[in-house]
Amino acid sequence: MVNGVRALFERATQSNTPAANETSQVAQGFPSDQASAFAAQFAGVYLNFTAAEAPSRAGKLAAFLPDGADPQFGWDSYGRLGAVGIQPYTIDVTDAKNAVVSVVFQTGNRRLLLSVPVYYSGDDGGRKFVVSGRPALLPAPGAADLPQVAGPEGDEAAQTELKPQLEAFFKAYAQGDTQSLKRYFVAGETLPDLGGALSFGELKSVVVPVGGATREIKAEVVWVVPTGATPSAEPTADPNTVGGRLEQAYRLTVVKQGDKWYVQDIRGAGRAIG
């Protein structure tokens, strides 16, 4: 898979034709989305095994392998492996019937790729797929370096005005208190709420850029995560019975009408406001 990507890059840099165009020409007639889904489903079986479950694994793998293939597909039935977060990552299409799909997954504290060669029978063969060769484990790319960005100039007066209103808003937003929320939304706006999935802990910070009556602001909120356990008045050291705290960041569009701010929209914060 790595060689295929490198070759594609080298061809792209040696001509004026973009690499994306070359990929699309090669991929004509090959159903990349379906092949990626097939490879990801295969990986869910291939990457999860224990010795006790070897017979079950062999039975499940049979749906992905060609006739006569090793039932365990290269595993000697010893040891164990577990994988979660399995998702298609990239696909390198060779021709209308062959491709190599890379699937990303998590095992323990590591992210890895599984390279899966796939054959497609085409319309004449009933639009079927099969794993056409041994997979390969590869390292997944590491995390990107995130450059620092300067924050916007803050409006401390607006922040002081907004903070108590936002605290009340987020409390009602978490509870799903429809009647209370109406007091904080711009007239005519109706936005979905969290419906009691979390409880409001605190408004940790508010960033309000300088501007006019309509602002894009950022709020960092601490939610209290429920445990499902019956509340107790007695102190406990069991973390399963204590509500956790989860910090999250939101971007809100707020509008000032008179001496009060109203929420027009709420969504995930992204990186910066300005």
Side-chain angles (χ1 to χ4, degrees):
M1 176 61 192
V2 173
N3 290 337
V5 172
R6 184 180 296 117
L8 181 61
F9 175 77
E10 290 173 352
R11 291 197 301 271
T13 56
Q14 291 169 2
S15 71
N16 294 325
T17 304
N21 290 346
E22 292 190 28
T23 302
S24 63
Q25 290 168 5
V26 172
Q28 284 181 358
F30 189 90
S32 297
D33 290 346
Q34 293 93 325
S36 297
F38 173 83
Q41 190 177 26
F42 161 76
V45 179
Y46 179 83
L47 292 169
N48 287 281
F49 55 76
T50 64
E53 296 172 342
S56 173
R57 178 181 185 267
K60 294 173 182 176
L61 279 177
F64 301 92
L65 305 182
D67 293 340
D70 169 15
Q72 294 295 352
F73 216 43
W75 176 49
D76 67 357
S77 299
Y78 291 93
R80 63 191 301 140
L81 182 66
V84 297
I86 299 169
Q87 297 286 336
Y89 193 71
T90 61
I91 183 166
D92 182 11
V93 177
T94 305
D95 53 40
K97 291 187 177 294
N98 295 278
V100 178
V101 179
S102 284
V103 177
V104 67
F105 66 95
Q106 184 93 11
T107 180
N109 61 356
R110 296 198 62 188
R111 292 177 67 246
L112 295 170
L113 295 175
L114 181 71
S115 176
V116 184
V118 173
Y119 174 81
Y120 170 60
S121 65
D123 292 335
D124 294 340
R127 300 181 64 83
K128 298 178 182 178
F129 296 96
V130 69
V131 177
S132 57
R134 287 282 196 265
L137 286 172
L138 298 166
D145 293 328
L146 185 64
Q148 296 295 317
V149 294
E153 180 184 356
D155 185 337
E156 294 186 8
Q159 177 179 318
T160 300
E161 293 176 348
L162 269 164
K163 189 172 182 180
Q165 294 179 202
L166 288 174
E167 288 173 340
F169 164 75
F170 277 112
K171 182 176 181 179
Y173 182 72
Q175 293 174 339
D177 186 344
T178 306
Q179 292 302 315
S180 294
L181 280 173
K182 289 180 179 178
R183 300 201 300 267
Y184 305 104
F185 286 144
V186 171
E189 290 289 346
T190 302
L191 301 175
D193 54 64
L194 297 180
L198 302 165
S199 299
F200 176 70
E202 65 173 301
L203 182 61
K204 190 168 184 179
S205 68
V206 182
V207 177
V208 183
V210 174
T214 300
R215 311 275 184 97
E216 294 285 325
I217 72 169
K218 179 180 177 181
E220 291 190 356
V221 181
V222 177
W223 300 118
V224 177
V225 183
T227 65
T230 303
S232 172
E234 298 298 324
T236 176
D238 183 357
N240 295 315
T241 62
V242 178
R245 291 168 65 84
L246 181 65
E247 294 182 15
Q248 296 194 325
Y250 293 86
R251 183 189 294 261
L252 300 94
T253 303
V254 294
V255 180
K256 190 169 188 181
Q257 297 176 346
D259 60 352
K260 186 175 179 181
W261 293 91
Y262 295 88
V263 176
Q264 186 175 59
D265 189 28
I266 180 171
R267 54 211 181 277
R271 284 196 64 194
I273 295 174

